[in-house]
Amino acid sequence: MSDEVMQPQQLWTGRFYNDGINSHDGLFDKLREECGVFGVYGHSEAANLSYYGLHALQHRGQESAGICVANGTDFHYHRGMGLVKEVFNNDNLSTMIGSSAIAHVRYSTAGESKLANAQPLVFKYRGGDLAIATNGNLHNAGDIKAELESQGSIFQTTSDTEVIAHLIARSKHDDIVLAVKEALLRVEGAYAFLFQTKDKVIAARDPHGLRPFVMGRLGTAYLFASETCAFDAVGGTYYRDVEPGELLVLDGKNGLIEDRFSPIKQRAICAMEYIYFARPDSDIDAINIHSARKRMGRQLALESFVDADIVTGVPDSSISAAIGYAEQTGIPYELGLIKNRYTGRTFIQPSQELREQGVKMKLSAVRSIVAGKRVVMIDDSIVRGTTSLRIVNLLREAGATEVHVRISSPPFKNPCFYGIDTPDRKELIAAQKSIEEIRQAINADSLHFLSKDGLLASIGRPNVELNRGHCTACFDNSYPTRITEESSIGCGCD
Ligand code: SF4
C-alpha cells in the first residue's frame, strides 16, 4: 500500500473554487454539484482509465480527487486536493499498477476542505484492505456515528463513508458481500457506492435510485460511473443502470454477480440532475440530458411566452433550455452572455466591490448583441437570487432595454438531503418571497418558472409500470425517504 505524500497544495485547508460559474463559489450563487465516482474491473490500465473517467466527471466535484488500484494482493492509491489534472501525473499514475480501480472527485459542503476526507477512503479491517468511494448523503449517519462512538469507535474523518466502513468492520459476517449488505440495510439516504477489496469491486445504489449510477463495458472489462459521459471518455459503452437496491459484485472467480441488498422502492431519480447537474452529453434512464433540457425550454416557452428580440442562456447549463425556448418561440437564440473559461479558480473576494469584479471576470454580457434589445434570459434555477440579480444587471449595463427571466425549473423552496449542497430554507428566496417579490429583487421585467408538471413532461413522464419516477422534493417538499430533524443537509462525501 502506498503512502500518500503531502504535496504543498494538500496542506492548504482554505476553500477554493472551480473555474466554472455553475458552482457555489461565493460569486455565483448556484447549487453545488455532489461528487462523482468511477470504477474499473478487469483492465490492465485501470488507473489510466480512471484518470480519464474522473476528468469527464470533474463537473461533479473540484476540490479533491483520488484513485485506488488493486492488483490482487495490494492496494496502490493516491489522493490529493485540487482538480484531477493537479492531483495526478505520469509519476504517480505509473506506480498504480493493477486491473481494478475505484476513483472519486469530491467537493466539500463545510468551511474546510481537507485531505483526510478525500476519497476513496482506505481502511484496514479484519478482512484485509477495503477502499470506498461514494456519491450521495446518508442522512442517518449522524445517529449511527453517535451510537458507534458510544460503543468505543473512533472516527478519523467527518465523512459518512467512514460510518459505512465501521459498520462493515463490526459485522458478524466475515464475507465482505454479506457485511456490505448488512451495513447498507442500516443506512438511509441517497448513494452510489463503490467498494473495493484486493480481488473484488462491489457497486450498490440506494433503493430509490436517487443518485445516478451506471455500468459500462470496455472489451471484457466492466466500468462504473456516476454518468455515462465517463464511458465515452475512455472508449467504453453504456451497458445498463445499477438498479435501485441492487448490489453488483465482480471478482475473478465468479465474474459478475447480480444481487440485491434491498427490494426496489419507488424510484426517485433526482430531477435536478436533468435540470442542472449532469453533463449534457450524459444519458440518465436512457434520456439524454441536452434533449431533456431543450424540452424544458420549449415547455417554458409554451407556459410563458413573451415578445422579445433575442433569447440567451446563462452558460453553460442553461444553453440547452435557451435553444429550446428559441426554437419554440421563433425568437433568435444569441450568445448574449459569454463565460470566460480561462480565469482559473478564484479565492472568495472580501469586499462587495471586488466580488462584482469577480463576476465580470467570469461572465460577460456581449454589448454588441444585447444593446437596444429586449432579452429573454434563461437560467436553470434561482437559489438565493443574488446571481440572477447580477446577471440581469450585466445585461442592463450592456444596454438591454428589457430583461425577461425564464427559469427552466420550478421555484426551489426546500433543502436537499440527498447529496446536493443547498442552503437552509430561510436562505432560499423562493421559500421566502412571492414570484412578484423575486422579480423585483432580481430587477427583471418579468419572471416565470417552469411548472412541475411541465418539468416532468419534459424529462419523460413517470411510468408506474417501469417504476420510473423522479425526486422533486426541493420543489414540492415531497421527500421520498423519511426525513427527520437530524437528517443532515449536504453531501455525505464530506
Ligand atoms: S431534493 Fe432536489 S436536488 Fe435533492 S435529490 Fe431531490 S430533486 Fe435532487
Side-chain angles (χ1 to χ4, degrees):
M1 187 180 297
S2 70
D3 281 320
E4 286 155 282
V5 179
M6 274 285 201
Q7 303 296 327
Q9 67 191 25
Q10 296 170 335
L11 296 172
W12 179 67
T13 57
R15 296 195 75 169
F16 54 105
Y17 302 99
N18 86 356
D19 57 357
I21 68 160
N22 296 324
S23 67
H24 228 312
D25 64 1
L27 296 175
F28 287 91
D29 173 36
K30 303 295 286 184
L31 299 169
R32 280 277 294 261
E33 298 91 342
E34 331 87 285
C35 302
V37 293
F38 187 81
V40 182
Y41 185 86
H43 198 290
S44 58
E45 296 277 336
N48 288 335
L49 292 175
S50 299
Y51 173 75
Y52 291 119
L54 287 186
H55 262 294
L57 298 174
Q58 187 77 82
H59 60 291
R60 300 184 75 89
Q62 298 91 34
E63 292 202 352
S64 71
I67 300 173
C68 179
V69 172
N71 62 12
T73 52
D74 287 317
F75 278 178
H76 296 276
Y77 63 92
H78 182 76
R79 301 172 300 164
M81 305 305 296
L83 301 173
V84 176
K85 67 182 181 190
E86 296 165 334
V87 173
F88 292 100
N89 53 44
N90 271 337
D91 289 346
N92 52 40
L93 283 170
S94 64
T95 65
M96 300 174 72
I97 296 163
S99 60
S100 77
I102 67 170
H104 192 263
V105 284
R106 170 186 174 272
Y107 81 100
S108 73
T109 55
E112 74 178 348
S113 178
K114 58 183 181 179
L115 184 62
N117 284 346
Q119 295 192 24
L121 291 179
V122 179
F123 307 91
K124 274 193 183 298
Y125 80 117
R126 70 179 191 280
D129 294 330
L130 174 67
I132 308 178
T134 185
N135 166 214
N137 188 41
L138 307 180
H139 52 69
N140 65 342
D143 291 345
I144 298 174
K145 187 175 177 185
E147 177 192 319
L148 296 177
E149 282 177 331
S150 74
Q151 295 165 11
S153 292
I154 296 170
F155 287 81
Q156 302 199 351
T157 73
T158 54
S159 166
D160 289 1
T161 311
E162 198 179 357
V163 171
I164 275 277
H166 276 263
L167 290 173
I168 292 169
R170 295 165 67 104
S171 170
K172 58 184 182 297
H173 299 292
D174 288 332
D175 180 273
I176 182 67
V177 176
L178 294 176
V180 166
K181 281 186 182 179
E182 185 183 69
L184 292 175
L185 287 173
R186 288 237 26 219
V187 299
E188 294 173 8
Y191 50 83
F193 266 117
L194 281 171
F195 302 91
Q196 182 183 34
T197 64
K198 63 183 180 358
D199 58 357
K200 285 184 176 57
V201 168
I202 302 169
R205 188 175 180 193
D206 73 79
H208 292 280
L210 277 147
R211 300 263 64 87
F213 202 15
V214 283
M215 186 179 185
R217 298 299 307 264
L218 178 61
T220 56
Y222 288 88
L223 308 170
F224 294 98
S226 295
E227 290 184 37
T228 57
C229 65
F231 299 153
D232 299 330
V234 300
T237 51
Y238 167 80
Y239 182 53
R240 72 176 183 82
D241 279 30
V242 179
E243 290 297 321
E246 200 172 29
L247 187 107
L248 301 175
V249 183
L250 283 155
D251 72 21
K253 204 161 63 179
N254 304 298
L256 172 66
I257 300 170
E258 297 168 313
D259 197 357
R260 317 200 125 260
F261 64 93
S262 161
I264 186 169
K265 297 185 178 166
Q266 177 55 51
R267 198 174 183 127
I269 179 85
C270 169
M272 282 302 292
E273 292 281 354
Y274 291 94
I275 297 163
Y276 169 58
F277 294 124
R279 253 176 51 164
D281 53 337
S282 286
D283 295 349
I284 295 180
D285 269 356
I287 296 168
N288 172 255
I289 299 298
H290 165 70
S291 304
R293 287 179 188 161
K294 257 178 69 171
R295 289 193 294 272
M296 289 172 210
R298 285 180 165 274
Q299 180 65 30
L300 195 52
L302 291 173
E303 294 180 9
S304 65
F305 175 80
V306 60
D307 199 15
D309 300 311
I310 61 169
V311 177
T312 194
V314 178
D316 286 328
S317 56
S318 305
I319 288 176
S320 303
I323 292 170
Y325 192 99
E327 283 179 358
Q328 184 66 38
T329 56
I331 302 170
Y333 172 80
E334 289 286 359
L335 278 179
L337 292 163
I338 298 283
K339 181 170 118 180
N340 183 353
R341 297 175 191 283
Y342 305 105
T343 50
R345 290 183 301 204
T346 52
F347 292 87
I348 196 162
Q349 306 292 348
S351 71
Q352 186 62 22
E353 193 184 332
L354 286 179
R355 189 179 281 250
E356 297 303 329
Q357 272 316 114
V359 171
K360 286 178 181 160
M361 195 172 77
K362 289 191 168 190
L363 188 69
S364 310
V366 186
R367 180 173 294 277
S368 55
I369 290 178
V370 305
K373 301 277 177 31
R374 297 167 298 164
V375 178
V376 181
M377 183 194 108
I378 310 289
D379 204 353
D380 48 68
S381 54
I382 297 183
V383 183
R384 294 181 177 87
T386 49
T387 300
S388 305
L389 173 62
R390 288 192 179 115
I391 301 174
V392 169
N393 285 344
L394 277 180
L395 289 166
R396 290 197 189 283
E397 285 164 19
T401 54
E402 295 174 16
V403 181
H404 300 276
V405 176
R406 297 292 180 269
I407 304 297
S408 60
S409 65
F412 197 104
K413 294 181 173 177
N414 308 291
C416 177
F417 298 92
Y418 304 127
I420 308 300
D421 184 19
T422 50
D424 288 344
R425 192 175 272 113
K426 61 180 181 308
E427 292 181 60
L428 297 171
I429 192 168
Q432 305 300 328
K433 293 183 187 296
S434 68
I435 291 181
E436 171 55 20
E437 288 170 332
I438 300 171
R439 182 196 69 74
Q440 291 174 20
I442 65 172
N443 194 25
D445 289 284
S446 71
L447 170 66
H448 188 91
F449 291 83
L450 183 62
S451 67
K452 191 181 102 177
D453 281 351
L455 169 68
L456 293 177
S458 304
I459 296 174
R461 273 270 169 213
N463 183 321
V464 177
E465 274 175 28
L466 292 176
N467 193 14
R468 174 187 282 167
H470 304 100
C471 175
T472 49
C474 45
F475 312 124
D476 61 10
N477 204 26
S478 177
Y479 292 94
T481 67
R482 186 177 64 97
I483 297 295
T484 66
E485 280 187 9
E486 283 71 42
S487 299
S488 58
I489 298 174
C491 181
C493 309
D494 238 7

